[in-house]
Amino acid sequence: MKLYKNKLNKSIIYPLIIFMIISLISIFSAGNILNNNTLIIKQVIWYIIGIFIIYIILNLGNEVIYKYYKYLYVFMNILLLLLLIFATPVNNSKCWFSIGSFTIQPSEFMKIILIITNAITINKNRDKKEYIIVLKTFIITLIPAILTFLEPDTGMVIIYFIVSFIMLYISGINSKWFTITILLVSLFLSIFLSIYFYNGDLFIKIFGTNFFYRIDRLLDWKDGVGMQLKNALMGIGSAYIFGFGFNNTPIYFPEPQTDFIFSVFTTNYGLFGVLILLITIIYFDINIIKIGIKSKNKIDTLIISGIVGMLLYQQVQNIGMNIGLLPITGITLPFISYGGSSLLSYMFAIGLILNISKKESR
């Protein structure tokens, strides 16, 4: 293993430590809500493995990962396909492989591999006609999106397309492609929602009963209904400035360790805790953006843009759905929510970011 001549970027490391602390104390509280004391132990294990992943990536260097991006992309798509064939359904979803008491969610890793694949593809085709870049990026994104949608995991599909859209925008292609995309998406959503609201029987015939109820659940937020949202709002609203204190959550939250970890943390530590978390998130994101701006390597810049897009969407979506401003989509809060696959995928991304930062500091 080689020694590092350049120190790691502290503006990334320090927020990561704060995230880890917030994650562990919140998951400890969530575990008590669920009467599950193993969650905190597993999250500690995931963080240790995540740190080891960062260490490996720092030693390998991003170039090695870039070299084998095609194999990684194909491998992850194969895993997504195998999920649909062999995985045991959990809550009517085939999103995880079970390994003893642990589970692995391939789509979490796919989003990072997709970012790398799109970045290299866009860079390789930068001298070709723009429609070729758009078409290749769309196809690369569509394949895992279809497989992931069939699991079903709609939230992850949205992430795939958001990061691809942002990366194309950062690549500098003509804005007409984004206008066309927005118009097509708007048209599709209009038709889709019209069928859903005005002809439910036809919607079920086309998309199935399961998908109908997924959309129904997604739209619960507009009326402020559903136990998840009601309990989250009650917990957050009653926390005031300093909350109820460590491990003191007086109300039950469905999925408190994942989707609603923000509500658990806010209930425990109130407005004061939320400000610390939000300031840390903003500081963290801004410093990642700075690394991307400084980068002279086009692939690195595109990868940073994809990672930032992924993080921003998940941060806004998770916090927004916890406070009733956005639909409940099952999106976790990066580095805070419980979950081995999600946390390890973020740590993979951190390793890439730190390597890019080291390269630009030389």
Side-chain angles (χ1 to χ4, degrees), residues 149 185-198 203 207 211 215 218:
F149 182 80
V185 171
S186 299
L187 177 62
F188 172 78
L189 286 177
S190 297
I191 297 172
F192 179 83
L193 292 175
S194 294
I195 297 173
Y196 171 81
F197 284 114
Y198 299 111
F203 187 96
F207 299 104
F211 190 58
I215 299 300
L218 186 68

Side-chain angles (χ1 to χ4, degrees), residues 319-338:
I319 295 173
M321 76 183 191
N322 271 254
I323 59 178
L325 293 180
L326 293 172
I328 298 172
T329 58
I331 295 295
T332 57
L333 187 57
F335 301 103
I336 308 299
S337 294
Y338 170 79

Side-chain angles (χ1 to χ4, degrees), residues 38-51:
T38 65
L39 290 180
I40 181 67
I41 297 173
K42 289 181 180 178
Q43 189 73 349
V44 170
I45 293 173
W46 292 128
Y47 255 109
I48 292 172
I49 296 174
I51 293 170

Side-chain angles (χ1 to χ4, degrees), residues 270-304:
L271 178 62
F272 179 75
V274 169
L275 288 175
I276 292 175
L277 175 58
L278 292 180
I279 290 171
T280 305
I281 287 174
I282 293 170
Y283 176 79
F284 180 71
D285 291 350
I286 288 175
N287 280 288
I288 295 177
I289 293 172
K290 286 181 178 178
I291 293 171
I293 292 173
K294 291 179 181 178
S295 176
K296 299 178 181 64
N297 183 293
K298 190 63 175 178
I299 294 176
D300 291 342
T301 299
L302 290 170
I303 286 175
I304 290 290

Side-chain angles (χ1 to χ4, degrees), residues 42 97-103:
K42 289 181 180 178
F97 286 118
S98 297
I99 305 174
S101 61
F102 294 92
T103 57

